[in-house]
Structure formats: C-alpha cells, structure tokens
C-alpha cells in the first residue's frame, strides 16, 4: 500500500463519515417533519369531527322542532273546525286590512302562530318557520304581513315521513338562497284514513350553513357541505345566500379531480384520499342527508425546512462542517502523516530480505517502528526454518498424497458399483411388472390380428359386403396400432430407467408417470409373492399441466418410494394377519407455483430413532441383503439437488409413513 493510496482511503473515509452524519441529521429532520405532519393531520381530523358534531347538533334541533310543528298541526287537525276558531287572531288580520275569510287554514294558522314564533326565537340562526296548506295557503313567521297563496311544484311528500330536507332554492320573498327542513301533515279520519293536509317547515339561508364551514386552523382545513343531489350548499368564499343558483358539488375540489371526487363520495366515510397534493375525506351527517367534505393541502418538506426549521438546519450544518474540518486538520497532523511513513516502512520491510533503517518520526511513533522491524526480522528467521521443514515434509506428503489418491479412486469405483447395483435392483423389480404390463397390449394385438385374418377370409368368401368388412378392418388395425404404441411406450420407459441420468428436461405428465410406475411396482411385488395384495388409492389433481423434469430420474424416485411402501404394508400384513387391509395412497395437488406429490402407506412406519438417519447414504431399515441403503438418499438428491424441490418425511411408528415431494413449476 503506497502513501498515495493511504491518503485516498483516508479521504474516502472522511467523506463517508461526513455523508453518514449529514444523512442521519437529514433523516432525523425528515422523521420530525413526518411526526409533525401526522400530528397536525390528527388535530385537524379531531377539529373536523367536532365541527361536524356542532352542525349535526344544530340540524338535530331544527329537525326535532320541525317534527314538533308537525305534531302540533296534526293535533289541531284532529279537532272539529268549529272548536278551534281563534277570534283574537281574526281581529288582528282585519285590523291589518287582510281581507281573508274565516277559513280552516286561518284557524290552524292561529293555533300554530305561537309555536312558529317560539321556533324562530329558540333557533336563533334560522330564517323563518312556516305552515303551508294543501290548498296553497301559507303562513310564515316572522313575516305575518305577507300571507301569500303559493303552491310548491312537485310537492309529493312520502306518507308519514317525519321530515325531509329540500334542495337549495332561491326564495323570492327573502331574496336569498335557502334550504328548508319540512314535514308533511296528515289528518286521520274516523275510518283511519290518512289525508294529506299540508306541510310545516323551517327555512334557513345558506349563510347559516356557511357559518359552520369556517377553516379549521387559520389557512388549513377547508370545509364544504353538499346535499344528496350533489348541490354545494356550504363553502366559505364559494357559496353565498346572494347567489340565485346552487353550484355543483364538484366545485368543492379543483376541476381536474372531479372524477376522483365522485368515486370518493361512494367510498366509506373518513377514509383518506389523495387528490394530487390534497388530502380529502368526508363525513355523513346524522340529521340531514348531507356530507361534510374536508379538503387540505399539507405543508411540504421544503416549507417545513425553510419556514420552520431552516435556520436551525443551516446553523447545525455549518457547525458540523467546521467541526469536521477542524477534526480533519488534527488527524492529518497527529496521525495521518506518521501513519503514512509507517505504511511506507512496512512496505519496504516486507519486500527487503534485510532490515531497513527507521526514518525520522516523532518519539511517540518511534516505538511502533521498532516493534514492526523486530517482527519482520523474527518472521524472516521463522521463514528460513519453515523452508527447511517444508522441503523435508514435501517428499513425505507426496507419498501420502499418492496413497490417498489411490484410495479415493478405489472408493469412487466402489460407490459407482453400489449405485449401479441399486439401479439394477430397481430394474429387476420392474421386470415382472413390465412383463405383466406389456402382456395386455400384446394379447390385444394378437386378438385383433386374428380378427383381421377372419375379416380377410370373409372378404374372399363374401366380396359383396366390402364396406362393412373394411370398416371392421379399420377398427382392428387402429386397435393394433394403439396397443403397439402402448407396448412401445413401456419398453421405452424401461430403457430410460436402465440408462444413466440425463440432465435434459422434457415436458412430462406427472400424474401418468406416477400411475405407470405404481402399476409396475405393484406387479413387480406380485411376481415375487403371489399372495401379495395392496389397495392402491389414486387421487390425482387433473389441473396439473405437463412439467419439465428429468423423467428417468423422477421415475426412479416414484418406483423406489412405492416399492418401499408396498414392502412396508406387506410386512405389516404378515404380522397382523387377515384383519389388516394394506393401503398405499398416491395424491397430487396443483398449487400456485409448485406441485405436491404425496405417497402414503399404512404399513410399519419408521421408528423415531431412525427418522433422522433415513436419508443418509447406506442406511436402511430393511434386514441385511434386502436393501442397499441408497434408494432414499438417491431420491432425495434427485428431488432437492436435481429439481430444486423439497423432500419431506412424516411417520408414526406402526401407523403410517408419508413422503411429500414438492416440485417447482419454474425451471432453474
């Protein structure tokens, strides 16, 4: 390492340290920004909920008073007309030159006048309270001089509904944009029939609603109020009672977010949505079919830095820079320069076969140079001694290496012979099964060949029936080809099984491969023991598509595991007698990115002390001479190493044993 390299490394270390310190400071500043932003958002949410609660309380009082007016009117309608005449009220009307007859509406208005007056005085913010009959007569308080005849268009209140809120409308009398809380009045006749007699209601201008829509916190937290028909009926600076028409609800947000706004209103209340830099959510009111919208643009990180934490950040950064510069000067003077000389001294000592003179250095560093010089000299002495010993042992090691090489070669040859023996043993087990499997298609071929000969003889004897005979011959030849292909496939499978492992992966139907080798294993066991019987239950997931695998390797795994299962249930059957039903269950499952193969048997199981060793090479639970101990070890390597899968074993002694194989669908 040269002096220049050492300086470069030191400079990099200093730069890295500076970056780390600045990064930590910036991270802390960002965390503080996030915490403050979250705290402000939570504070605004609480203020929003409080404001919604205030508005709901006001609307509750209005709706309750509207229902009270309805109850009072229906109460007076239940009395006969002659019993509710109000002479004092009539005299007042005559003095004011209002030429009205003593109608039923006037009587009801007289009885309700005090209640209407009390309603307006009690609910300070409302504009007016009124009674409107079904004939169009209206009595309004606090404007008793203007008794008018007016019919509301499309007045179809729901039967027996307590109250409802109207859309925003422009009231010509008050010259203001208004909303009303109204309630229908019904008279109950002696036959219990309900007749619509009119309505009572409470009017309020949108300015009253605007008073609840003030910003929550200075310049943050704008509020908007919309009704069920998406009219904007409350928004500071955008909604006023002087307007003739109500604005659409979309005006509450910037125009480019109109679609997002509509989707938000269909989402659940108080769920936060982001419209660009804006945070938006809403809450439903309990006593009106309206929604209060919260719209806010949180402060940005730049604003936070330069408006609130900018001065502190700049000051700390300047102090940090000066501190790092001062520390750099001290380190260079008292450490870097002497360390550079020490590095140069070490480099020269390491390359020289003789001691190097110590350069001029501060006294505090001189002892380090002396220690290093002594260490190098001691190392030179040890090196000379080691070279002699190495030369002496080299000859001995060559002889030992030759002996170890010969032993290793012998061991590999023995392992190859054992693996070959295992393959031949499994092939021997297959022979009887293959003979049984190939016998069926050969019998079919022979039978259909005889039928073909008979058809040819028939053709010679009855040449007129050509079409029928040719149809039969076509069927026989097709069957011969079909079973010939079946026999050819069995022979090819046997040849593949007997060959060495091939690393080429080919698309393979796992269900068919498992079924085929289950049959071969079963008939192989039957050939060895005619009394052998096992019930093979097969549950294959038909959704499994052909998988790219090394089919001859996978067939060895299936054959080995099914042979072991058959052997285990056979041993248990001998022990338990006729009361035991041997079962081997084969199951496949199609999963997201893999397939799972389960081979289960109710045989002898695997003892707990042997389950951990079952996959080790040359370990077997079978009696001497009946197993090599390589079958499960080879199967494990084929699944895990060859196919990047999983090989799991579960067992309960004397109950069952299960092998679970997992193969990934993605090729590696």
């Amino acid at each position: 390492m040269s002096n220049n390299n050492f300086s470069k490394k030191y400079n990099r270390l200093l730069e890295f340290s500076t970056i780390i310190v600045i990064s930590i400071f910036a991270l802390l500043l960002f965390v503080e920004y996030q915490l403050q932003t979250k705290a402000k958002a939570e504070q605004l949410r609480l203020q929003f909920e409080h404001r919604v609660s205030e508005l709901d309380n006001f609307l509750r009082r209005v709706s309750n008073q509207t229902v009270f007016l309805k109850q009072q009117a229906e109460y007076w309608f239940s009395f006969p007309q002659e019993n509710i005449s109000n002479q004092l009220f009539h005299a007042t009307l005559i003095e004011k030159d209002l030429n009205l007859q003593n109608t039923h509406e006037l009587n009801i208005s007289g009885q309700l006048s005090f209640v209407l007056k009390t309603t307006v005085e009690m609910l300070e913010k409302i504009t007016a309270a009124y009674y409107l009959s079904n004939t169009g007569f209206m009595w309004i308080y606090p404007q008793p001089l203007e008794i008018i005849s007016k019919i509301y268009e499309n007045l179809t209140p729901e039967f027996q509904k307590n109250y409802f809120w109207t859309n925003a409308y422009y009231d010509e009398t008050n010259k203001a944009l208004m909303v009303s809380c109204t309630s229908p009045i019904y008279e109950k006749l002696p036959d219990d029939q309900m007749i619509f007699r009119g309505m009572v209601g409470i009017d309020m201008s949108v300015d009253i609603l605007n008073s609840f829509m003030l910003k929550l916190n200075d310049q943050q937290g704008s509020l908007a109020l919309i009704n069920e028909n998406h009219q904007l009926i409350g928004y500071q600076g955008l909604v006023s009672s002087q307007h003739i028409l109500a604005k659409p609800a979309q005006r509450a947000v910037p125009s480019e977010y109109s679609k997002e706004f509509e989707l938000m209103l269909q989402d659940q209340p108080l769920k936060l949505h982001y419209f660009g830099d804006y945070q938006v959510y809403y809450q439903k009111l309990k006593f009106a079919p309206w929604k209060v919208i919260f719209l806010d643009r949180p402060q940005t990180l730049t604003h936070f830095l330069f408006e609130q934490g900018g001065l502190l950040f700049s000051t700390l950064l300047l102090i940090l820079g000066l501190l790092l510069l001062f520390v750099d000067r001290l380190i260079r003077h008292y450490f870097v320069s002497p360390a550079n000389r020490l590095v140069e001294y070490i480099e020269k000592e390491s390359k020289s076969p003789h001691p190097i003179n110590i350069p001029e250095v501060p006294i505090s560093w001189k002892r380090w140079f002396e220690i290093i010089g002594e260490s190098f000299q001691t190392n030179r002495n040890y090196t000379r001694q080691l070279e002699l010993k190495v030369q002496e042992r080299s000859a001995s090691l060559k002889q030992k290496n030759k002996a170890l090489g010969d032993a290793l070669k012998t061991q590999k040859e023995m392992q190859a012979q054992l693996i070959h023996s295992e393959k031949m043993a499994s092939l021997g087990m297959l022979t009887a099964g293959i003979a049984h499997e190939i016998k069926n298609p050969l019998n079919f071929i022979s039978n259909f060949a005889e039928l073909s000969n008979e058809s040819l003889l028939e053709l010679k004897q009855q040449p007129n029936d050509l079409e029928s005979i040719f149809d039969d011959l076509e069927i026989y030849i097709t069957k011969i080809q079909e079973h010939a292909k079946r026999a050819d496939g069995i022979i090819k499978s046997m040849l593949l099984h007997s060959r060495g492992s091939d690393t080429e992966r080919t698309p393979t139907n796992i269900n068919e491969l498992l079924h085929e080798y289950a049959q071969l294993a079963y008939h192989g066991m039957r050939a060895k023991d005619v009394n052998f019987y096992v019930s093979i239950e097969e549950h294959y997931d038909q959704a499994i598509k052909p998988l790219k695998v090394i089919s001859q390797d996978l067939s060895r795994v299936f054959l080995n595991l099914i042979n072991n299962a058959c052997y285990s249930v056979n041993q248990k059957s001998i022990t338990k007698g006729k009361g035991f039903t041997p079962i081997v269950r084969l199951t496949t499952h199609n999963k997201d990115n893999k397939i799972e193969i389960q081979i289960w048997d109710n045989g002898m199981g695997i003892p707990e002390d042997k389950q951990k060793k079952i996959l080790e090479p040359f370990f077997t639970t079978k009696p001497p001479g009946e197993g090599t101990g390589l079958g499960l070890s080879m199967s494990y390597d084929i699944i895990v190493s060859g196919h990047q899968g999983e090989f799991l074993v579960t067992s309960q002694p004397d109950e069952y044993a299960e092998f679970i194989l997992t193969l990934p669908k993605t090729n590696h």
Side-chain angles (χ1 to χ4, degrees):
M1 181 187 295
S2 65
N3 183 21
N4 188 33
N5 289 336
F6 183 84
S7 298
K8 287 182 178 179
K9 286 186 176 291
Y10 169 73
N11 290 333
R12 290 175 184 172
L13 180 62
L14 181 64
E15 292 173 0
F16 183 67
S17 302
T18 304
I19 292 172
I20 289 178
V21 173
I22 294 176
S23 300
I24 292 175
F25 178 76
L27 179 62
L28 292 175
L29 197 63
F30 179 74
V31 171
E32 177 65 19
Y33 162 72
Q34 292 285 358
L35 292 175
Q36 286 195 21
T37 302
K38 185 177 180 181
K40 288 182 179 179
E42 183 62 25
Q43 181 182 11
L44 288 174
R45 180 182 286 269
L46 293 176
Q47 292 177 354
F48 171 74
E49 293 178 354
H50 179 69
R51 186 69 59 82
V52 170
S53 178
E54 287 181 344
L55 178 57
D56 240 343
N57 287 335
F58 173 70
L59 297 178
R60 176 183 56 80
R61 294 173 59 202
V62 172
S63 59
N64 288 346
Q65 191 64 23
T66 303
V67 174
F68 177 71
L69 290 174
K70 166 189 172 70
Q71 294 171 348
Q72 288 293 307
E74 290 180 346
Y75 171 75
W76 291 112
F77 267 110
S78 66
F79 283 86
Q81 180 175 345
E82 60 273 9
N83 293 340
I84 58 173
S85 177
N86 191 328
Q87 298 298 331
L88 179 61
F89 180 67
H90 293 165
T92 302
L93 293 176
I94 293 171
E95 290 176 0
K96 295 180 179 179
D97 297 328
L98 296 174
N99 298 323
L100 297 174
Q101 297 178 358
N102 184 14
T103 64
H104 194 37
E105 286 88 350
L106 288 177
N107 293 333
I108 296 298
S109 299
Q111 298 299 332
L112 291 177
S113 61
F114 177 75
V115 181
L116 295 175
K117 177 182 178 183
T118 304
T119 297
V120 175
E121 293 174 351
M122 181 176 63
L123 301 174
E124 298 176 357
K125 293 185 177 182
I126 67 173
T127 304
Y130 65 86
Y131 156 65
L132 171 65
S133 75
N134 59 347
T135 64
F137 171 79
M138 175 180 280
W139 177 261
I140 304 177
Y141 185 88
Q143 297 163 332
L145 295 180
E146 299 183 20
I147 299 178
I148 61 175
S149 179
K150 180 180 180 182
I151 299 177
Y152 279 359
E153 296 181 357
N154 301 323
L155 186 61
T156 56
E158 297 180 16
F159 182 71
Q160 291 185 341
K161 186 173 182 180
N162 284 336
Y163 67 91
F164 59 91
W165 292 85
T166 67
N167 289 335
Y169 63 92
Y170 186 74
D171 184 61
E172 295 291 346
T173 303
N174 293 284
K175 303 298 181 183
L177 193 64
M178 312 277 284
V179 293
S180 298
C181 180
T182 62
S183 183
I185 303 170
Y186 296 92
E187 180 182 357
K188 187 175 182 181
L189 300 181
D191 59 354
D192 291 335
Q193 183 180 0
M194 304 295 289
I195 299 178
F196 176 64
R197 290 300 187 188
M199 306 184 74
V200 292
I202 296 175
D203 291 337
M204 66 180 77
S205 72
V206 293
D207 287 343
I208 295 173
L209 301 177
N210 255 345
S211 65
F212 290 94
M213 297 295 109
L214 297 174
K215 286 184 177 291
L216 295 177
N217 182 13
D218 296 334
Q219 299 302 317
Q220 289 185 300
S222 298
L223 300 181
L225 182 64
I226 64 174
N227 62 15
E228 60 187 340
N229 291 315
H230 285 204
Q231 289 181 322
L232 189 62
I233 57 176
Y235 195 114
Q236 284 291 326
L238 196 59
V239 176
S240 172
S241 62
Q242 301 304 314
H243 296 160
I244 297 177
L245 296 175
K247 293 179 172 60
Q250 289 81 356
R251 292 289 301 276
V253 298
S255 58
E256 61 267 26
Y257 303 118
S258 297
K259 292 183 179 180
E260 291 84 349
F261 181 70
E262 292 293 335
L263 294 175
M264 183 206 68
L265 294 178
Q266 299 173 14
D267 210 340
Q268 59 185 0
L270 294 178
K271 182 178 179 180
L272 184 61
H273 292 258
Y274 290 92
F275 297 171
D277 295 335
Y278 291 93
Q279 294 181 352
V280 188
Y281 52 83
Y282 77 92
Q283 177 63 293
K284 293 181 179 179
L285 294 172
K286 298 177 181 177
F287 295 94
W290 302 341
K291 297 176 181 177
V292 182
I293 311 299
F294 172 84
L295 178 70
D296 184 46
R297 178 183 285 177
Q299 63 176 351
T300 62
L301 180 59
T302 303
H303 178 269
F304 173 77
L305 287 176
F306 293 98
E307 296 296 330
Q308 299 186 22
L311 181 61
L312 177 62
F313 177 76
S314 301
T315 303
L316 290 177
L317 190 60
L318 178 61
I319 294 174
L320 180 63
L322 293 174
L323 180 62
L324 289 174
L325 183 60
F326 177 71
V327 171
D328 174 59
R329 295 296 180 185
L330 290 178
I331 293 175
R332 287 183 183 276
H333 181 73
Y334 290 103
F335 176 76
V336 176
S337 180
N340 281 335
R341 294 180 183 178
L342 180 61
V343 170
E344 292 176 354
Y345 178 75
I346 293 173
E347 288 179 346
K348 293 178 180 179
E349 278 282 4
S350 63
K351 297 177 181 179
S352 175
H354 306 289
I356 302 299
N357 294 328
I358 298 175
E360 292 294 330
V361 293
I363 297 177
S364 59
W365 281 82
K366 191 170 185 179
R367 180 57 184 161
W368 290 100
F369 284 80
E370 292 174 351
I371 293 173
I372 290 173
E374 293 172 359
S375 299
F376 272 102
Q377 185 59 37
T378 303
N379 185 60
R380 291 187 189 97
N381 296 334
Y382 282 140
T383 302
R384 294 189 187 98
Q385 295 176 8
L386 286 173
E387 287 176 353
L388 295 175
K389 292 182 179 179
V390 167
Q391 292 175 359
E392 293 175 358
R393 294 186 178 181
S394 293
S396 176
L397 288 175
K398 287 181 180 179
Q399 295 178 355
K400 292 181 179 179
N401 285 340
K402 186 177 182 304
L404 288 173
D406 294 340
L408 182 60
K409 182 179 179 182
T410 303
Q411 183 181 5
K412 288 183 178 179
E413 291 176 353
M414 293 178 64
Q415 287 180 348
Q417 291 176 0
L418 286 172
I419 293 173
H420 181 71
S421 299
E422 175 65 21
K423 291 180 180 179
M424 292 300 103
S426 64
L427 185 61
M429 295 178 186
L430 275 177
T431 303
I434 290 171
H436 181 274
E437 285 292 300
I438 205 171
K439 182 180 179 181
N440 289 332
L442 290 178
N443 286 337
F444 277 110
I445 292 171
S446 177
N447 292 336
F448 283 115
E450 290 180 5
L451 290 173
S452 299
N453 287 330
E454 292 177 0
S455 296
L456 290 174
L457 291 175
E458 186 178 350
L459 178 62
K460 293 178 180 179
Q461 295 173 1
Q462 299 177 3
N464 296 328
D465 195 12
L466 292 178
E467 184 177 353
S468 174
I469 295 173
F470 282 149
D471 289 341
D472 291 342
L473 282 173
E474 184 178 0
I475 295 172
Y476 300 154
I477 292 172
T478 301
K479 292 296 183 179
I480 290 172
Q481 289 177 338
E482 178 183 335
H483 291 287
K485 289 180 180 179
R486 171 61 181 159
D488 182 61
I490 295 171
I491 293 172
K492 286 181 179 179
S493 298
M494 182 177 180
L495 290 174
L496 284 174
H497 189 83
S498 64
R499 291 172 186 168
S501 177
D502 187 2
T503 58
E504 182 181 357
R505 296 172 182 259
T506 56
T508 303
N509 189 313
I510 301 300
N511 292 338
E512 291 181 0
L513 188 67
L514 184 58
H515 170 75
E516 180 178 351
Y517 278 87
Q519 295 300 316
L520 293 176
Y522 172 74
H523 291 297
M525 291 293 292
R526 287 276 296 174
K528 294 172 64 177
D529 183 1
V530 295
N531 295 321
F532 171 76
Y533 168 76
V534 64
S535 174
I536 299 180
E537 299 178 357
E538 298 177 274
H539 306 281
Y540 299 141
D541 192 337
Q542 299 303 322
I544 297 176
K545 297 181 180 179
L547 190 68
K548 283 191 175 182
V549 296
I550 305 172
S551 57
Q552 55 266 46
D553 283 355
L554 202 59
S555 65
R556 292 190 183 100
V557 175
F558 291 163
L559 181 63
N560 183 271
L561 295 180
I562 298 172
N563 276 335
N564 287 347
C566 291
Y567 177 86
S568 180
V569 297
N570 190 39
Q571 294 298 313
K572 189 172 181 179
S573 179
I574 294 172
T575 304
K576 298 292 185 179
K578 295 183 178 179
F580 171 70
T581 302
I583 299 173
V584 173
R585 184 181 301 130
L586 308 177
T587 309
T588 60
H589 295 286
N590 184 39
K591 298 191 175 181
D592 293 336
N593 56 357
K594 60 186 178 181
I595 65 169
E596 188 176 271
I597 304 162
Q598 299 173 355
I599 300 176
W600 179 93
D601 68 82
N602 63 344
M604 302 296 291
I606 305 171
E608 294 182 0
D609 58 336
K610 296 181 179 180
Q611 289 182 16
K612 295 181 179 179
K613 301 179 181 180
I614 197 72
L615 299 178
E616 295 179 2
F618 306 108
F619 181 84
T620 180
T621 59
K622 296 178 182 178
E626 294 191 20
T628 62
L630 289 174
L632 287 179
S633 175
M634 288 173 58
S635 299
Y636 179 85
D637 288 340
I638 289 171
I639 296 299
V640 177
S641 301
H643 291 81
Q644 293 76 45
E646 297 178 2
F647 191 103
L648 303 177
V649 183
T650 60
S651 179
Q652 185 70 29
D654 202 37
E655 293 291 336
Y656 73 91
E658 183 176 25
F659 291 82
I660 302 174
L661 315 179
T662 302
L663 297 175
K665 294 181 179 179
T666 304
N667 292 329
H668 294 273

